Amino acid sequence: MRKIIVLSFITLDGVMQAPGGPEEDTSGGFNFGGWVAPYFDEAGGKIMEKQMKPADLLLGRKTFEIFASYWPEHADIWPGINDVTKYVLSGTVKKSDPLAIGWKNSVFLKNLTDIEKLKNSNGSDIQVHGSGELIQLLLKNDLVDELWLKIYPVTLGKGKKLFDKGTIPAAFTLTKSTITPSGVIIANYRRDGNVRTGTVGS
């Protein structure tokens, strides 16, 4: 069985939309694209380098289109990105799509059953980047094994959120954390059974 690991940049109020640049995703009138840039520092960059070691990817359609139009020409920034297998959940994009042809090793999944088969197959861990709607589907069906979050000291008040309609009650264990000089909390969480409750002080 393969682990599904969600990696996400989020704000203090949980927004994950368009962290990388102003034109990355303006849907819904979002005008804060690129909100991570002012907080980038060497310490955070080194951790991101480790997290970007080659791994198969699971992407939603919109993130796939953004990635496929950018990464083939920028592999020096993310070594191995063009060689790993990219699994894409989409009912509209197909192998014959120009972006799919241009980005090798792209495999298209049609539904949740395909994702479950992928998770139960043999192979490396699978990373999920961006892909907000896909993440909601994974969370709803308890298919996320780990969360690798980069939490930025900013609130935006609007935008697509990491934890939204798909979130279910679930416990996680913090396995690693650090705080960068610019105030970004980088935390890794592992899925850890059911939510436990009790009374404080008893």
Side-chain angles (χ1 to χ4, degrees), residues 127-159:
Q127 293 188 356
V128 182
H129 296 262
S131 309
E133 290 185 16
L134 169 61
I135 291 173
Q136 301 308 316
L137 179 67
L138 296 174
L139 289 171
K140 182 178 181 180
N141 290 277
D142 202 11
L143 294 174
V144 176
D145 296 287
E146 295 184 17
L147 295 164
W148 294 1
L149 305 182
K150 289 167 278 290
I151 306 164
Y152 285 73
V154 60
T155 59
L156 298 179
K158 65 177 182 178

Side-chain angles (χ1 to χ4, degrees), residues 15 32 44-46 51 64 106 112 116 125 145 148 177 183 188:
V15 175
F32 293 112
K46 287 182 178 179
Q51 293 184 346
F64 169 75
S106 297
L112 180 65
E116 291 173 335
D125 293 343
D145 296 287
W148 294 1
S177 66
N188 293 4

Side-chain angles (χ1 to χ4, degrees), residues 1-4 58 87 89 109-122 126 134 137-145:
M1 182 177 289
R2 308 171 73 175
K3 285 183 183 177
I4 294 181
L58 175 59
Y87 296 97
L89 181 65
L109 310 179
K110 294 181 180 179
N111 50 42
L112 180 65
T113 300
D114 287 345
I115 296 175
E116 291 173 335
K117 288 179 180 177
L118 173 63
K119 180 172 171 53
N120 288 317
S121 67
N122 295 321
I126 302 166
L134 169 61
L137 179 67
L138 296 174
L139 289 171
K140 182 178 181 180
N141 290 277
D142 202 11
L143 294 174
V144 176
D145 296 287

Side-chain angles (χ1 to χ4, degrees), residues 47-66:
I47 293 173
M48 285 178 59
E49 258 183 48
K50 291 180 181 178
Q51 293 184 346
M52 291 167 74
K53 287 183 178 178
D56 288 349
L57 305 180
L58 175 59
L59 306 170
R61 177 191 58 81
K62 183 172 287 187
T63 298
F64 169 75
E65 290 175 346
I66 293 170

